[in-house]
């Protein structure tokens, strides 16, 4: 039996925060889920599994205290009505069952509020702080508005205590109302809430004091605040933030510290390594006597223990690493550190939330599916008929995940056959794109896990034909043969192949070592995510003059949803990549690339080479061939043929993992190819009858 490394024992000390005691130092900081108070059972199950996996504290997502901080269409833990808080109380109950403390992050968005449903005006320190994308100005808060918001915090805090929450936050970070008050750019008030730091800090400090008076005897009071303004919180000096911590010291039981804007705090692995915030967050120690929790995409127990030993933090905070592996603390405690499903820092969780989907994860297909689909990250329903042999063709992420889950479900003979000498599929080259190395953790985790799964045999370097599959002797066949980038330049803006596309390279060819002639190279992108910027950066690094051309109206718009768009564009600009947006290329001649701008004008550029990042196509030939001959399948004793991952439709890597996981969970269903419906959680209202019954029809 593996044992905990004694160097990690420090992570399991208890820590007292005000009137509460944490069972250990693992702390799931507040983070969005897309469930909020609208889907309380889904939300409670999502948080509870973290408590079960050993996190000593588990927090909700942002909990708006007032209807003028309504985040619709995003789903937050709204708590301005008593019924909302009752629903959120399910989280506290579920978390307590596993011995953890429950935290709630009381929040007001100020000028950043959306108010999509409430249609109330946004409130701000000064009218100048309206957010430009809304094409409307915020209302400068009156003193009455300030008092009312503070009252909303107090009401929410009392309700939170009464429904069982242990830790009550005043959310001060990430540019929302409290940070807007602190900034001289967004707060230009002439009254006691504007001007010198003590005035700009007055709203958060008073709110903390009022919250403490109301519930401080029963609950721990926390504030989340940046220790440095980073690049995206203008008008706040780092020294002032440290002064703020000192001023707030007597009012809180816990400081939750981070850096700058959300894009920096949840920095992707492209630009932010483990513990990258420490140079700033470590400065808080000198100005407070209170416990500190900080984040830094911590996945290494050695790093975590080092941070605690250094005295910089008392608690290891995590959002993304806890999504990727809810059992991270338990695995450290049991000495199973090679089983940790390490966060990749790809920010798929955030991308989904930004698109108003519920939380998801590149590493953990079960994140958010605990209630809706009944999936547990570490527990698996035993196979109904374990002796059915399974042949999986293709060991990309879909095949690897499917094989692992089938193995864990107890299928006695699972064969995963891969054509290439190594497993991993397209992630093998994606991880070699500049700055995307941590994405390769998806392969590493599964390779290690499969090496312990004796009932799964991984066979490398064997490209199977349909005849091979028919002769294999397997009862179930799963095709995870993936997809590849079209070399013919097929794209949304141009029907059929691109003239002269045979002159161009695909991303796979570049990653296999082929290169355009020296000189100027065009990387043409209609995909909008990471591949084209990655190829552009790679070639620029090798000395090519790279022009990144896209039919879209900005470079890599998808990266905005992973919070890295601005940094990515800045980085590409800084290394000399030239951008051309709103251009659709339709012809590649020798030495010239021809296109048309979105405004109807011809566009040409001379170039020695082109890389086409246009669209992918599923590699589903085997699937079609097999299905085309049912009698051959019957004669071979094959009871089912299924396709998963990019072989079905090329999508983001997280969806290949999800698809592989889903089929393995549901392969005993009557029709495994058709995904089983999930539990659709609806607000608990009585079944409606008619508008007349509600006095509304005319
Ligand atoms: P996904 O994202 O769906 O997992 P990938 O494209 O990443 O898809 O991976 C597909 C994998 O399938 C690749 O590693 C590829 O080499 C493998 N593959 C494709 N066809 C065959 C085949 N006929 N026999 C074995 N492996 C195959």
């Amino acid at each position: 039996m593996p044992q905990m490394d004694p160097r990690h024992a420090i992570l399991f000390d208890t820590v007292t925060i005000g009137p509460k005691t944490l069972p250990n130092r693992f702390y799931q900081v507040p983070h969005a889920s897309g469930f909020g108070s609208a889907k309380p059972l889904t939300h409670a199950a999502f948080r509870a599994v973290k408590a079960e996996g050993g996190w000593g504290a588990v927090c909700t997502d942002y909990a708006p205290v007032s209807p003028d901080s309504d985040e619709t269409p995003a789903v937050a833990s709204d708590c301005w009505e008593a019924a909302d808080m009752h629903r959120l109380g399910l989280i506290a109950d579920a978390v307590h069952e596993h011995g953890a403390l429950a935290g709630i992050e009381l929040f007001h968005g100020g000028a950043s509020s959306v108010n999509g449903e409430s249609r109330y005006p946004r409130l701000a320190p000064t009218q100048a702080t309206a957010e430009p994308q809304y094409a409307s100005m915020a209302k400068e808060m009156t003193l009455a508005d300030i008092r009312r918001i503070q009252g909303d915090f107090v009401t929410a805090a009392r309700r939170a205590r009464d429904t069982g929450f242990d830790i009550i936050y005043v959310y001060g970070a990430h540019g929302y109302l409290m940070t807007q008050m602190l900034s001289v750019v967004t707060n230009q008030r002439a009254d006691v809430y504007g001007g010198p730091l003590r005035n700009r800090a007055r709203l958060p400090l008073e709110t903390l004091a009022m919250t403490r008076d109301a519930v401080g005897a029963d609950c721990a009071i926390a504030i989340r605040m940046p220790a440095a303004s980073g690049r995206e919180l203008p008008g706040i000096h780092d020294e002032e933030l440290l002064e703020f911590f000192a001023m707030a010291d007597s009012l809180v039981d816990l400081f939750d510290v981070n850096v700058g804007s959300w894009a920096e705090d949840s920095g992707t692995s492209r630009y932010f390594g483990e513990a990258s915030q420490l140079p700033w967050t470590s400065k808080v120690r000198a100005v407070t006597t209170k416990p500190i929790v900080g984040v830094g995409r911590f996945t290494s127990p050695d790093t975590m223990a080092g941070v605690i030993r250094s005295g910089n933090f008392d608690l290891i905070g995590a959002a993304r690493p806890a999504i990727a592996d809810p059992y991270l603390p338990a695995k450290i405690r049991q000495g199973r550190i090679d089983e940790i499903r390490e966060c990749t820092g790809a920010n798929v969780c955030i991308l989904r939330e930004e698109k108003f989907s519920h939380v998801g994860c590149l590493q953990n297909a079960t994140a958010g599916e605990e209630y809706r689909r009944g999936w547990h990250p570490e527990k698996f329903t035993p196979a109904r008929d374990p002796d059915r042999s399974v042949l999986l063709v293709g060991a990309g992420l879909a095949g690897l995940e499917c094989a692992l889950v089938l193995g864990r479900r107890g299928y006695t003979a699972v064969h995963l056959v891969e054509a290439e000498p190594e497993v991993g599929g397209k992630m093998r080259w994606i991880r070699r794109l500049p700055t995307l190395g941590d994405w390769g953790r998806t392969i590493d985790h599964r390779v290690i896990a499969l090496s312990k799964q004796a009932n799964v045999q991984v066979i490398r370097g064997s490209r199977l034909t349909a005849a091979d599959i028919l002769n294999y002797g397997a009862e179930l066949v799963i095709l995870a043969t993936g997809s590849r980038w079209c070399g013919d330049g097929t794209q949304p803006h141009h029907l059929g192949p691109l003239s002269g596309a045979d002159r161009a390279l695909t991303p796979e060819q570049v990653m296999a070592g082929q290169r355009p002639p020296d000189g100027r190279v065009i990387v043409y992108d209609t995909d909008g995510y990471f591949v084209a910027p990655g190829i552009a950066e790679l070639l620029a690094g090798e000395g090519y003059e790279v022009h990144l051309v896209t039919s879209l109206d900005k470079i890599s718009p998808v990266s905005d949803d992973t919070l890295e768009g601005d940094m990515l564009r800045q980085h590409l600009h800084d290394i000399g990549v030239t951008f051309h947006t709103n251009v659709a290329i339709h012809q590649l001649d020798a030495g010239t690339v021809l296109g048309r701008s979105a405004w109807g004008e011809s566009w040409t550029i001379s170039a020695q080479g082109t890389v086409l990042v246009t669209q992918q196509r599923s590699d589903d030939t085997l699937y079609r061939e097999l299905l085309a001959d049912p009698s051959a399948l019957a004669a071979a004793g094959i009871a089912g043929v299924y396709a998963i991952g990019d072989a079905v439709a090329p999508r983001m890597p997280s969806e290949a993992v999800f698809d592989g996981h889903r089929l393995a969970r549901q392969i005993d269903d009557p029709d495994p190819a058709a995904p089983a419906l999930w539990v659709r959680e609806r607000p608990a209202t009585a079944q409606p009858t008619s508008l007349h019954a509600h006095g509304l029809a005319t």
Side-chain angles (χ1 to χ4, degrees), residues 393-394 396-398 417-420 425-426 462 464 480-483 622 645-646 656:
V393 185
L397 290 184
V417 181
E418 167 55 46
E420 298 291 325
K426 61 176 65 69
S462 174
L464 297 185
T481 45
S483 62
L622 279 180
D646 288 1

Side-chain angles (χ1 to χ4, degrees), residues 503-505 515-522 544-545 547 589-593 605-611:
R503 300 176 195 283
L505 296 174
R515 288 291 178 271
D518 286 347
R520 179 183 292 169
V521 60
I522 307 302
Y544 285 92
E545 179 194 327
H547 289 248
D589 286 346
T592 312
V593 174
I605 191 168
S606 64
Q608 279 68 47
T610 307
V611 182

Side-chain angles (χ1 to χ4, degrees), residues 164-198:
F165 284 97
D166 308 286
I167 306 164
I168 314 281
Y169 271 77
V170 172
Y171 187 2
H174 295 147
Y176 296 115
L177 180 61
M178 300 300 171
T179 334
Q180 290 159 19
M181 291 300 282
L182 280 182
S183 164
V184 291
V185 170
T186 48
N187 179 356
Q188 292 155 22
R189 297 177 71 95
D191 63 5
V192 292
Y193 288 93
L197 175 64
R198 177 148 287 283

Side-chain angles (χ1 to χ4, degrees), residues 182 184 200 227-229 233-243:
L182 280 182
V184 291
R200 283 181 279 123
S229 59
L233 292 179
I236 308 179
H237 294 296
D238 293 355
E239 307 76 53
E240 289 187 332
L241 287 166
L242 292 179
E243 272 185 66

Side-chain angles (χ1 to χ4, degrees), residues 392-401 416-430 459 461-466 468-469 479-484 508 616 619 622 644-657 659-660:
L392 265 150
V393 185
L397 290 184
L400 287 167
E401 177 74 4
L416 174 62
V417 181
E418 167 55 46
E420 298 291 325
E422 296 298 331
V423 299
K426 61 176 65 69
M427 188 53 79
R428 283 174 57 219
W429 61 260
I430 291 172
I459 299 141
S462 174
R463 181 172 294 279
L464 297 185
T465 63
D468 295 334
I469 294 169
L479 296 156
T481 45
S483 62
R484 52 191 71 240
E508 280 116 344
Q616 299 178 73
D619 195 347
L622 279 180
I644 53 172
D646 288 1
V648 177
R651 287 162 286 173
M652 292 197 182
S654 56
E655 303 317 291
V657 174
D659 211 19

